[in-house]
Amino acid sequence: MPAYCTNVHPAEDLAGVVAQLDRYAVPVRERLGVDELALGLWLAEPVARGLADDPAARRGLAGELRARGLTVSTLNAFPYGGFHDEVVKHSVYLPTWTDPRRLAYTMECATVLADLLPDSASYGSISTLPLAWREPWTEDDDARAQAALGELTGFLRAEATRHGRPVKLAVEPEPGCVLDTVADAVGWLADRVDHDHVGLCLDTCHLAVSFADPVEAVKSIHATGLSVVKVQASAALEVAEPGSAQGREAIAAFAEPRYLHQVRENTPDGVLAADDLPEALDALPAEHPWRVHFHVPLHARPAAPLTSTTDVLLAAMDAVRATADATPHVEVETYTWTVLPDPVDDLAAGIAAELRWAAEHLGGTA
């Protein structure tokens, strides 16, 4: 069964992280009727730093997880902190990979994860942002980001030797960022990083929004010798006729103030872009289908005229299995439960239902 990502929960101190295990993760496991449940853990920077500095605290957290039948093989280190602030938007891309704080945070996460990995895990994974939001970005920024990833790789290599198994970085392309698409990420990473320690996080919502062919995208990753280190199993919103009164009303209900919801319109002349849903409603021609970066629960298709891109997820997973030597870590990442037009009353029940769908439709996952 895939992991579920705990960035859906707002805790940003260690006590809060442990409390959310009891409030959400254990009830999810119990509803699924499984002895062990995998988590994709999100640790805000102060929590990661505190754990990295304190081996006893790491052992304590590992014990808390084991006692609850929970395992952790992957961390989501994309959000640095404040992921449940009233307004997040572009701040989620800070600090960038040009900022020493991003490197330090990722090293902290690697230190923590190495001591949380279950005995059964052959490696750990950490997903991270695609360098930065696209503006501003200079050649000097490019060089600084490459140097930071090189320094991180040296650290990961030494840690792998010390622990006997690697922790790998998974760079996650996202619309609007420096590495906007899988093609951008492959082109930037292929000749710049150590493929044994750095690969891609394939977020299938982001992949769908780009309108890239999922099978060809996965093939392009492996053609360069890079790997899919981690899959974030997620689905985007889609509306076939965004210019119709019904389509516009339905999609506008998902415009909300906390997160950025990038939009792409697939026209015969190319893909048009808007950086957020309100901008798209004002500026895009809405003559052709839209896909919107809004992670919607995998098991609950939105009401017509909207749909979701679970077909892209399924095709991408099939391609990963056909191409990869081993199935990467798979993490269901629907962090938007609380900003849905109709938020759920029982979050644990919703997460359990989504994981049940994932287990049934994605087959064998790690």
Side-chain angles (χ1 to χ4, degrees):
M1 181 173 293
Y4 94 83
C5 185
T6 65
N7 67 353
V8 66
H9 309 310
E12 298 202 18
D13 58 62
L14 184 56
V17 170
V18 173
Q20 75 190 14
L21 302 179
D22 289 324
R23 184 175 180 184
Y24 299 109
V26 171
V28 168
R29 181 181 61 74
E30 291 172 345
R31 285 174 182 271
L32 292 170
V34 294
D35 294 330
E36 283 190 345
L37 176 69
L39 303 181
L41 201 60
W42 174 59
L43 302 173
E45 192 281 332
V47 183
R49 176 164 27 95
L51 288 166
D53 290 342
D54 188 344
R58 296 198 297 277
R59 290 193 296 271
L61 178 57
E64 298 282 7
L65 290 163
R66 284 193 303 272
R68 292 164 173 80
L70 306 171
T71 65
V72 174
S73 294
T74 185
L75 299 185
N76 186 333
F78 193 131
Y80 186 83
F83 195 54
H84 289 264
D85 288 350
E86 188 173 339
V87 178
V88 177
K89 299 291 184 181
H90 292 85
S91 66
V92 74
Y93 308 110
L94 298 174
T96 74
W97 268 104
T98 67
D99 188 324
R101 292 177 299 166
R102 175 61 63 177
L103 174 60
Y105 171 51
T106 310
M107 288 179 173
E108 292 159 2
C109 286
T111 298
V112 174
L113 181 57
D115 282 349
L116 298 184
L117 289 175
D119 293 340
S120 60
S122 60
Y123 73 97
S125 63
I126 300 173
S127 49
T128 190
L129 76 161
L131 305 183
W133 186 249
R134 68 180 184 276
E135 297 171 334
W137 192 258
T138 66
E139 290 185 6
D140 286 344
D141 292 330
D142 225 51
R144 283 196 293 272
Q146 183 175 348
L149 289 177
E151 186 173 347
L152 175 68
T153 299
F155 176 81
L156 294 178
R157 190 178 295 118
E159 288 290 284
T161 299
R162 187 159 71 91
H163 291 282
R165 51 187 171 173
V167 169
K168 302 181 182 183
L169 187 71
V171 178
E172 179 183 337
E174 179 172 321
C177 293
V178 175
L179 307 182
D180 182 301
T181 65
V182 167
D184 292 332
V186 169
W188 197 92
L189 292 167
D191 297 328
R192 297 176 190 249
V193 301
D194 179 342
H195 294 192
D196 290 334
H197 296 279
V198 181
L200 272 76
C201 173
L202 188 66
D203 183 305
T204 57
C205 171
H206 301 172
L207 177 65
V209 170
S210 75
F211 283 99
D213 180 282
V215 175
E216 294 305 314
V218 171
K219 287 181 178 179
S220 74
I221 295 168
H222 291 280
T224 64
L226 289 163
S227 62
V228 178
V229 172
K230 174 176 177 176
V231 175
Q232 284 182 330
S234 54
L237 275 174
E238 184 166 20
V239 56
E241 297 181 352
S244 69
Q246 188 181 15
R248 183 179 177 86
E249 180 181 4
I251 203 70
F254 287 82
E256 55 82 29
R258 178 173 294 163
Y259 299 116
L260 201 63
H261 300 296
Q262 302 93 313
V263 181
R264 299 294 182 264
E265 179 169 347
N266 193 25
T267 81
D269 298 322
V271 177
L272 304 179
D275 286 341
D276 205 358
L277 182 51
E279 176 191 338
L281 291 166
D282 288 341
L284 290 182
E287 297 171 353
H288 302 279
W290 283 8
R291 288 179 178 172
V292 183
H293 175 218
F294 194 118
H295 291 220
V296 290
L298 300 177
H299 67 292
R301 294 177 70 85
L306 303 181
T307 187
S308 70
T309 61
T310 51
D311 57 331
V312 174
L313 163 60
L314 296 174
M317 281 301 305
D318 285 345
V320 167
R321 289 197 192 91
T323 309
D325 294 331
T327 303
H329 296 151
V330 179
E331 170 188 88
V332 173
E333 196 216 16
T334 305
Y335 59 84
T336 47
W337 285 95
T338 59
V339 295
L340 289 167
D342 298 308
V344 297
D345 294 326
D346 187 339
L347 181 55
I351 292 169
E354 187 174 32
L355 287 174
R356 192 175 294 111
W357 183 97
E360 292 171 356
H361 289 82
L362 302 183
T365 56

